[in-house]
Amino acid sequence: MDLWWLFWLFLIISSLQPVVRQNMLETARLRALRTLERKRKSRVITLIHRQETMGFLGFPLVRYIDIDDSEAVLRAIKMTDDDVPIDLILHTPGGLVVAAEQIAYALKKHPAKVTVFVPHYAMSGGTLIALAADEVVMDENAVLGPVDPQIGQQPAASILKVLERKPIAEVDDETIILADVAEKAICQVKRVVKTLLEGRLPGDKAEEIATRLATGEFTHDYPITVDEARELGLTVSTEMPAEVYEIMALYPQTAQRRPSVEYIPSPRTKEGGTPRFRNGSSRT
């Protein structure tokens, strides 16, 4: 009987362990967000997408910007006084254009300063959100991406190329319809980018950036580095607070049986002593 009780106790503890671990992680996240808010006297919001495991079957589920995200971010902005700055930590491959636009417009309208932190990457819709910020802070190795719209699985700009390179009589009706939608989508995204940059850049510069990012000059997954972002005309800083990296560490990727990357998880210096981040902030 005692063995049976021990067996059931083991099962109960094993089943509760993931729940306890998740609650501890969520508590640590809130504590880290509160610390950064006190330091910067701001509202800190995270929009972080990681690959997650779906249910007990363990299938990977890749997250993107969706309507649930835009609803949550808009609620956070609504709960923030007009004189309180907003800091958004952004890590995403992109997602729904309508959701990204909602977030971007809401950030644009906030009266106090808006800062977007990009510790690793913010592609597509993530870049659209970053364009709404008064200041974009990127890790020196982080990247943004083009915002050219995609129609189904095809780039809108590439669909239009079909009409340019083939006589209209040789193009099927479905492609013609898609090209019409593609043209409208590109115009719409260009208008959004120009609106987001309005007031911070001259009109002709905003037009140039919108054209380069939205019309298919680059492939959709092209990584725009800090230097290239500055060449485009965007104001980008690399003074990333150490707390942002610490917060990112609290959003771990779903565990795999064998990690793809391994290293001793402690700062490494040549001479020893207190390690420092490249922006000058120290960490113990």
Side-chain angles (χ1 to χ4, degrees), residues 20-32:
V20 174
R21 187 186 301 115
Q22 182 64 29
N23 287 338
M24 292 175 63
L25 190 59
E26 290 176 0
T27 301
R29 289 172 181 169
L30 292 176
R31 189 184 303 118

Side-chain angles (χ1 to χ4, degrees), residues 231-245:
E231 289 173 6
L232 281 172
L234 301 177
T235 302
V236 176
S237 166
T238 54
E239 298 297 316
M240 184 74 69
E243 290 84 357
V244 172
Y245 298 109

Side-chain angles (χ1 to χ4, degrees), residues 8-28:
W8 283 111
L9 183 61
F10 171 77
L11 286 181
I12 292 172
I13 293 175
S14 298
S15 64
L16 291 177
Q17 187 178 5
V19 177
V20 174
R21 187 186 301 115
Q22 182 64 29
N23 287 338
M24 292 175 63
L25 190 59
E26 290 176 0
T27 301

Side-chain angles (χ1 to χ4, degrees), residues 46 52 72 90 110 132 147 171 254:
T46 64
E52 299 179 356
L90 189 59
H110 187 68
V147 298
V171 180
T254 301

Side-chain angles (χ1 to χ4, degrees), residues 71-146:
E71 289 179 359
V73 173
L74 265 57
R75 281 197 298 271
I77 295 173
K78 283 285 187 182
M79 294 172 64
T80 305
D81 286 346
D82 288 349
D83 58 350
V84 176
I86 289 177
D87 293 332
L88 176 65
I89 301 174
L90 189 59
H91 177 82
T92 179
L96 290 179
V97 174
V98 63
E101 286 183 8
Q102 280 187 302
I103 295 170
Y105 279 136
L107 292 174
K108 171 76 173 176
K109 292 176 183 176
H110 187 68
K113 182 179 180 180
V114 173
T115 304
V116 167
F117 295 100
V118 183
H120 297 296
Y121 77 128
M123 305 296 284
S124 190
T127 298
L128 198 65
I129 293 170
L131 294 175
D134 299 299
E135 181 181 17
V136 179
V137 180
M138 297 172 62
D139 178 89
E140 59 185 13
N141 296 308
V143 295
L144 302 175

Side-chain angles (χ1 to χ4, degrees), residues 57-72:
L57 295 177
F59 294 125
L61 178 66
V62 180
R63 291 291 311 280
Y64 297 94
I65 301 171
D66 58 22
I67 294 299
D68 290 337
D69 291 327
S70 62
E71 289 179 359

Side-chain angles (χ1 to χ4, degrees), residues 200-201 205 208-209 227-236:
R200 288 185 284 115
L201 290 174
K205 191 61 181 177
E208 178 189 345
I209 293 174
D227 289 340
E228 286 185 280
R230 288 170 175 167
E231 289 173 6
L232 281 172
L234 301 177
T235 302
V236 176

